[in-house]
Amino acid sequence: HEEGRCRPCAFVRTEIGCKAKEDCRFCHYEHVVPRQRFRPCKGKRIRIHKMLERLKYEVDAYIASGRPMFGMSDHLSSLELPPMVQNNETLRKMLFAHTLIHMEETYGFKLVESL
């Protein structure tokens, strides 16, 4: 256990406990388990991906229209985002960052303002 090579028993801290007791092949000492990163459910990930594709489409359409690049930030900010995005600052920043990456990779244009 001190060397960190043992594997913790998944049942020892449950209400019923480990049925194998002394015969268990896993460690029954307290382990500090690193917190797992949050991952949205598949449906939410699909919706986020569709939202990102919509933002990329808006960027492409805006640039194709010949409008001035300095108005891009205002255009993106004016888009109506679903409540799932509006109420989640982390998600908004992630979508905006991916939109910026698309703009830079596709058009070589960097935007420094935020949504």
Coordinates of all heavy atoms in Angstrom, one line a residue, residues 53-104:
E53 N -20.8 23.5 -34.9 CA -21.0 23.5 -36.4 C -21.8 24.7 -36.9 O -21.5 25.4 -37.9 CB -21.6 22.2 -36.9 CG -20.7 21.0 -36.7 CD -19.3 21.2 -37.4 OE1 -19.2 21.6 -38.5 OE2 -18.3 20.9 -36.7
R54 N -22.8 25.1 -36.1 CA -23.6 26.3 -36.5 C -22.8 27.6 -36.4 O -22.9 28.4 -37.2 CB -24.8 26.4 -35.5 CG -25.7 27.6 -35.8 CD -26.9 27.6 -35.0 NE -27.4 29.0 -34.9 CZ -27.8 29.6 -33.9 NH1 -27.8 29.0 -32.7 NH2 -28.2 30.9 -33.9
L55 N -22.0 27.7 -35.3 CA -21.1 28.9 -35.2 C -20.1 28.9 -36.3 O -19.9 30.0 -36.8 CB -20.4 28.8 -33.8 CG -21.3 29.1 -32.6 CD1 -20.5 28.9 -31.3 CD2 -21.8 30.5 -32.7
K56 N -19.5 27.8 -36.7 CA -18.6 27.8 -37.8 C -19.3 28.2 -39.1 O -18.7 29.0 -39.9 CB -18.0 26.4 -38.0 CG -17.0 26.0 -36.9 CD -16.5 24.6 -37.1 CE -15.5 24.1 -36.1 NZ -15.1 22.7 -36.4
Y57 N -20.5 27.7 -39.3 CA -21.3 28.1 -40.5 C -21.5 29.6 -40.5 O -21.4 30.3 -41.5 CB -22.6 27.4 -40.5 CG -23.5 27.8 -41.6 CD1 -23.4 27.4 -42.9 CD2 -24.6 28.7 -41.3 CE1 -24.2 27.8 -43.9 CE2 -25.4 29.2 -42.3 CZ -25.2 28.7 -43.6 OH -26.0 29.2 -44.6
E58 N -21.9 30.2 -39.3 CA -22.1 31.6 -39.2 C -20.9 32.4 -39.6 O -20.9 33.4 -40.2 CB -22.6 32.0 -37.8 CG -24.0 31.5 -37.5 CD -25.1 32.3 -38.3 OE1 -24.8 33.4 -38.7 OE2 -26.2 31.7 -38.4
V59 N -19.7 31.9 -39.1 CA -18.4 32.6 -39.4 C -18.2 32.5 -40.9 O -17.9 33.6 -41.6 CB -17.3 31.9 -38.7 CG1 -15.9 32.3 -39.3 CG2 -17.3 32.2 -37.2
D60 N -18.4 31.4 -41.5 CA -18.2 31.2 -43.0 C -19.1 32.1 -43.8 O -18.7 32.7 -44.7 CB -18.3 29.7 -43.4 CG -17.3 28.8 -42.7 OD1 -16.2 29.3 -42.3 OD2 -17.5 27.6 -42.7
A61 N -20.4 32.1 -43.3 CA -21.4 32.9 -44.1 C -21.1 34.4 -43.9 O -21.2 35.2 -44.9 CB -22.8 32.6 -43.5
Y62 N -20.6 34.8 -42.7 CA -20.3 36.2 -42.5 C -19.2 36.6 -43.4 O -19.2 37.7 -44.0 CB -19.9 36.5 -41.0 CG -19.7 37.9 -40.7 CD1 -20.7 38.7 -40.3 CD2 -18.4 38.4 -40.8 CE1 -20.5 40.1 -40.0 CE2 -18.2 39.8 -40.5 CZ -19.2 40.6 -40.1 OH -19.0 41.9 -39.8
I63 N -18.1 35.8 -43.5 CA -16.9 36.2 -44.3 C -17.3 36.1 -45.8 O -16.9 37.0 -46.5 CB -15.8 35.2 -43.9 CG1 -15.3 35.5 -42.5 CG2 -14.7 35.3 -45.0 CD1 -14.3 34.6 -42.0
A64 N -18.1 35.2 -46.2 CA -18.5 35.1 -47.6 C -19.4 36.3 -48.0 O -19.4 36.6 -49.2 CB -19.3 33.8 -47.8
S65 N -20.1 36.9 -47.0 CA -20.9 38.0 -47.4 C -20.1 39.3 -47.7 O -20.7 40.3 -48.2 CB -21.9 38.3 -46.2 OG -21.2 38.9 -45.1
G66 N -18.8 39.3 -47.4 CA -18.0 40.4 -47.6 C -18.1 41.5 -46.6 O -17.5 42.6 -46.8
R67 N -18.8 41.3 -45.5 CA -18.9 42.3 -44.5 C -17.5 42.5 -43.8 O -16.7 41.6 -43.8 CB -19.9 42.0 -43.4 CG -21.3 42.0 -44.0 CD -22.4 41.7 -43.0 NE -22.6 40.3 -43.0 CZ -23.4 39.7 -42.2 NH1 -24.1 40.3 -41.3 NH2 -23.6 38.4 -42.3
P68 N -17.3 43.7 -43.2 CA -16.0 43.9 -42.6 C -15.7 43.0 -41.4 O -16.6 42.6 -40.6 CB -16.0 45.4 -42.1 CG -17.5 45.7 -42.0 CD -18.2 44.8 -43.0
M69 N -14.4 42.5 -41.3 CA -14.1 41.6 -40.2 C -14.2 42.1 -38.8 O -14.5 41.4 -37.9 CB -12.6 41.1 -40.4 CG -12.4 40.4 -41.7 SD -13.4 38.9 -41.8 CE -12.4 37.8 -40.9
F70 N -14.1 43.5 -38.7 CA -14.2 44.0 -37.3 C -15.6 43.9 -36.7 O -15.8 44.1 -35.6 CB -13.7 45.5 -37.2 CG -14.5 46.4 -38.1 CD1 -15.7 46.9 -37.7 CD2 -14.0 46.8 -39.4 CE1 -16.4 47.8 -38.5 CE2 -14.7 47.7 -40.2 CZ -15.9 48.2 -39.8
G71 N -16.6 43.6 -37.6 CA -18.0 43.4 -37.1 C -18.3 42.0 -36.7 O -19.4 41.7 -36.2
M72 N -17.3 41.1 -36.9 CA -17.6 39.6 -36.6 C -18.0 39.4 -35.2 O -18.9 38.6 -34.9 CB -16.3 38.8 -37.0 CG -16.4 37.4 -36.6 SD -17.4 36.4 -37.8 CE -16.3 36.4 -39.1
S73 N -17.3 40.0 -34.2 CA -17.6 39.8 -32.8 C -19.0 40.2 -32.5 O -19.7 39.4 -31.8 CB -16.6 40.6 -32.0 OG -16.8 40.4 -30.6
D74 N -19.4 41.3 -33.0 CA -20.8 41.8 -32.7 C -21.8 40.8 -33.3 O -22.8 40.5 -32.7 CB -21.1 43.2 -33.3 CG -20.3 44.2 -32.6 OD1 -20.0 44.0 -31.4 OD2 -20.0 45.3 -33.2
H75 N -21.5 40.3 -34.5 CA -22.4 39.3 -35.2 C -22.5 38.0 -34.4 O -23.6 37.6 -34.1 CB -21.8 39.0 -36.6 CG -22.6 37.9 -37.3 ND1 -23.9 38.1 -37.7 CD2 -22.3 36.7 -37.7 CE1 -24.4 37.0 -38.3 NE2 -23.4 36.1 -38.3
L76 N -21.4 37.5 -33.9 CA -21.4 36.3 -33.1 C -22.1 36.5 -31.8 O -22.8 35.6 -31.3 CB -20.0 35.7 -32.9 CG -19.2 35.2 -34.1 CD1 -17.8 34.8 -33.8 CD2 -20.0 34.1 -34.8
S77 N -21.9 37.7 -31.2 CA -22.5 38.0 -29.9 C -24.0 38.1 -30.1 O -24.8 37.9 -29.1 CB -22.0 39.3 -29.3 OG -20.6 39.1 -29.1
S78 N -24.5 38.5 -31.3 CA -25.9 38.7 -31.5 C -26.7 37.4 -31.7 O -27.9 37.4 -31.7 CB -26.2 39.6 -32.6 OG -25.8 39.0 -33.9
L79 N -26.0 36.3 -31.9 CA -26.6 35.0 -32.2 C -27.4 34.5 -31.0 O -26.9 34.7 -29.8 CB -25.6 33.9 -32.6 CG -24.9 34.2 -33.9 CD1 -23.9 33.1 -34.2 CD2 -25.9 34.3 -35.1
E80 N -28.6 34.0 -31.2 CA -29.3 33.5 -30.0 C -28.8 32.1 -29.7 O -28.9 31.2 -30.5 CB -30.8 33.4 -30.4 CG -31.6 33.1 -29.2 CD -33.1 33.3 -29.4 OE1 -33.5 34.2 -30.2 OE2 -33.9 32.5 -28.9
L81 N -28.3 31.9 -28.5 CA -27.7 30.7 -28.0 C -28.7 30.0 -27.2 O -29.5 30.6 -26.4 CB -26.4 30.9 -27.3 CG -25.3 31.6 -28.0 CD1 -24.1 31.9 -27.1 CD2 -24.8 30.7 -29.2
P82 N -28.8 28.7 -27.2 CA -29.7 27.9 -26.3 C -29.4 28.2 -24.8 O -28.2 28.5 -24.5 CB -29.5 26.5 -26.7 CG -28.3 26.4 -27.5 CD -28.0 27.8 -28.0
P83 N -30.4 28.1 -23.9 CA -30.1 28.3 -22.5 C -29.0 27.4 -22.0 O -28.2 27.9 -21.1 CB -31.5 27.9 -21.8 CG -32.5 28.0 -22.9 CD -31.8 27.7 -24.2
M84 N -28.8 26.2 -22.5 CA -27.7 25.4 -22.0 C -26.4 26.1 -22.2 O -25.5 25.9 -21.4 CB -27.8 24.1 -22.8 CG -26.6 23.2 -22.6 SD -26.6 21.7 -23.7 CE -26.1 22.3 -25.2
V85 N -26.2 26.9 -23.3 CA -25.0 27.6 -23.5 C -25.0 28.9 -22.8 O -24.0 29.3 -22.2 CB -24.8 27.8 -25.0 CG1 -23.5 28.6 -25.3 CG2 -24.7 26.4 -25.8
Q86 N -26.1 29.6 -22.8 CA -26.2 30.9 -22.2 C -25.9 30.9 -20.7 O -25.2 31.8 -20.2 CB -27.6 31.5 -22.4 CG -27.9 32.0 -23.7 CD -29.4 32.5 -23.8 OE1 -30.1 32.4 -22.9 NE2 -29.7 33.0 -25.0
N87 N -26.3 29.8 -20.1 CA -26.2 29.7 -18.6 C -24.9 29.0 -18.2 O -24.7 28.9 -17.0 CB -27.4 29.0 -18.0 CG -28.7 29.7 -18.3 OD1 -28.7 30.9 -18.5 ND2 -29.8 28.9 -18.5
N88 N -24.0 28.7 -19.1 CA -22.8 27.9 -18.7 C -21.6 28.7 -19.3 O -21.3 28.5 -20.5 CB -22.9 26.5 -19.3 CG -21.8 25.6 -18.8 OD1 -20.7 26.1 -18.6 ND2 -22.0 24.3 -18.7
E89 N -21.0 29.5 -18.5 CA -19.8 30.3 -19.0 C -18.7 29.4 -19.5 O -18.1 29.8 -20.5 CB -19.3 31.2 -17.8 CG -18.2 32.1 -18.3 CD -17.7 33.0 -17.1 OE1 -18.3 33.0 -16.1 OE2 -16.7 33.7 -17.4
T90 N -18.4 28.3 -18.9 CA -17.4 27.4 -19.3 C -17.7 26.9 -20.7 O -16.8 26.9 -21.6 CB -17.2 26.2 -18.4 OG1 -17.0 26.7 -17.1 CG2 -16.1 25.3 -18.8
L91 N -18.9 26.5 -21.0 CA -19.3 26.0 -22.3 C -19.2 27.1 -23.3 O -18.8 26.9 -24.4 CB -20.7 25.4 -22.2 CG -21.3 24.8 -23.5 CD1 -20.4 23.7 -24.1 CD2 -22.7 24.2 -23.2
R92 N -19.7 28.3 -23.0 CA -19.6 29.5 -23.9 C -18.2 29.7 -24.3 O -17.9 29.9 -25.5 CB -20.2 30.7 -23.2 CG -21.6 31.1 -23.6 CD -22.0 32.5 -23.2 NE -21.4 33.1 -22.1 CZ -21.7 33.0 -20.8 NH1 -22.8 32.3 -20.5 NH2 -21.1 33.6 -19.9
K93 N -17.3 29.7 -23.3 CA -15.9 30.0 -23.6 C -15.3 28.9 -24.5 O -14.5 29.2 -25.4 CB -15.1 30.1 -22.3 CG -15.3 31.4 -21.6 CD -14.5 31.4 -20.3 CE -14.7 32.7 -19.6 NZ -13.8 32.8 -18.4
M94 N -15.7 27.6 -24.2 CA -15.2 26.5 -25.1 C -15.6 26.7 -26.5 O -14.9 26.5 -27.4 CB -15.6 25.2 -24.5 CG -15.1 24.0 -25.2 SD -16.0 23.3 -26.6 CE -17.6 23.0 -25.9
L95 N -16.9 27.0 -26.7 CA -17.5 27.2 -28.0 C -16.8 28.3 -28.8 O -16.4 28.2 -29.9 CB -19.0 27.4 -28.0 CG -19.8 26.2 -27.7 CD1 -21.3 26.5 -27.5 CD2 -19.8 25.2 -28.9
F96 N -16.6 29.4 -28.0 CA -15.9 30.6 -28.6 C -14.5 30.3 -29.0 O -14.0 30.6 -30.1 CB -16.0 31.8 -27.6 CG -15.4 33.0 -28.2 CD1 -16.0 33.7 -29.2 CD2 -14.2 33.5 -27.7 CE1 -15.5 34.9 -29.8 CE2 -13.7 34.7 -28.2 CZ -14.3 35.4 -29.3
A97 N -13.8 29.5 -28.1 CA -12.4 29.1 -28.4 C -12.3 28.3 -29.7 O -11.4 28.5 -30.5 CB -11.8 28.4 -27.2
H98 N -13.2 27.3 -29.8 CA -13.2 26.5 -31.0 C -13.6 27.3 -32.2 O -13.1 27.0 -33.3 CB -14.2 25.3 -30.8 CG -13.6 24.2 -30.0 ND1 -12.7 23.3 -30.5 CD2 -13.7 23.9 -28.6 CE1 -12.3 22.5 -29.5 NE2 -12.9 22.8 -28.4
T99 N -14.5 28.3 -32.1 CA -14.8 29.1 -33.2 C -13.6 29.9 -33.6 O -13.3 30.1 -34.8 CB -16.0 30.1 -32.8 OG1 -17.1 29.3 -32.4 CG2 -16.4 30.9 -34.0
L100 N -12.8 30.4 -32.7 CA -11.6 31.2 -33.0 C -10.6 30.3 -33.7 O -9.9 30.7 -34.6 CB -11.0 31.7 -31.7 CG -11.7 32.9 -31.0 CD1 -11.0 33.3 -29.7 CD2 -11.9 34.1 -31.9
I101 N -10.5 29.1 -33.2 CA -9.5 28.1 -33.9 C -10.0 27.9 -35.3 O -9.1 27.9 -36.2 CB -9.5 26.8 -33.1 CG1 -8.8 27.0 -31.8 CG2 -8.8 25.7 -33.9 CD1 -9.0 25.8 -30.8
H102 N -11.3 27.8 -35.6 CA -11.8 27.6 -36.9 C -11.4 28.8 -37.8 O -11.0 28.7 -38.9 CB -13.3 27.4 -36.9 CG -13.9 27.4 -38.3 ND1 -13.7 26.4 -39.2 CD2 -14.8 28.3 -38.8 CE1 -14.4 26.7 -40.3 NE2 -15.0 27.9 -40.1
M103 N -11.6 30.0 -37.2 CA -11.4 31.2 -38.0 C -9.9 31.4 -38.3 O -9.5 31.7 -39.4 CB -11.8 32.5 -37.2 CG -13.3 32.6 -37.1 SD -13.8 33.9 -35.9 CE -13.0 35.3 -36.5
E104 N -9.0 31.0 -37.3 CA -7.6 31.1 -37.5 C -7.1 30.1 -38.6 O -6.3 30.4 -39.4 CB -6.9 31.0 -36.2 CG -5.4 31.2 -36.3 CD -4.7 31.2 -35.0 OE1 -5.4 31.3 -33.9 OE2 -3.5 31.1 -35.0

